[in-house]
Amino acid sequence: MELVTEPVAARREEARHCAWCGRRLPDSGRIGRPRRYCAQPCRQRAYERRAAVQRGGLPEDAVVLSAGELADLQDRLFQLRCAAEDVATAAADGADGAELRRLAAELVDTARGLERLR
């Protein structure tokens, strides 16, 4: 009988982020259920949002964004598209490897910024 512990160890090494604000959660090293929120105010805001979604009749997995959050998300999507177009243009123009690596790194940074919703 062989025990498989590699996936569990790999999951613990991944950085975890607050389900509300997106801040990185400290690695507690504790046994038990992992933390979902960095602090009580984030837990409270998440509860309030879940309660509001239930009262509004929206599905449980609905995502509710304010107008400001939507505008910010659209701006970041535009930045991602522009960064991807820069890479494509440089490749079509025959840019050297160093330039393509620099542009690809910028594309990755832009995509990482897009991953956060708040």
Side-chain angles (χ1 to χ4, degrees):
M1 183 161 117
E2 184 178 326
L3 293 176
V4 180
T5 58
E6 192 171 325
V8 173
R11 273 185 274 154
R12 288 187 182 170
E13 290 177 12
E14 293 176 8
R16 297 184 48 85
H17 295 87
C18 177
W20 179 255
C21 69
R23 277 187 236 140
R24 187 174 180 165
L25 293 174
D27 186 22
S28 64
R30 297 183 343 190
I31 296 175
R33 186 172 51 192
R35 292 176 61 172
R36 293 192 60 208
Y37 305 102
C38 62
Q40 183 59 33
C42 287
R43 181 188 313 269
Q44 182 65 30
R45 297 296 90 72
Y47 167 78
E48 290 168 357
R49 183 178 66 184
R50 285 192 308 272
V53 165
Q54 288 174 352
R55 283 191 307 271
L58 296 172
E60 183 65 31
D61 61 348
V63 177
V64 179
L65 297 174
S66 70
E69 290 169 330
L70 178 60
D72 181 55
L73 181 60
Q74 289 172 326
D75 288 344
R76 288 185 281 141
L77 281 169
F78 178 73
Q79 291 171 354
L80 181 64
R81 182 174 61 86
C82 290
E85 287 174 351
D86 289 346
V87 172
T89 301
D93 290 347
D96 65 350
E99 177 69 10
L100 288 174
R101 280 189 294 278
R102 184 186 66 76
L103 290 171
E106 288 178 16
L107 179 62
V108 169
D109 288 342
T110 303
R112 279 195 183 116
L114 184 59
E115 286 177 336
R116 66 173 173 78
L117 284 178
R118 292 187 191 342

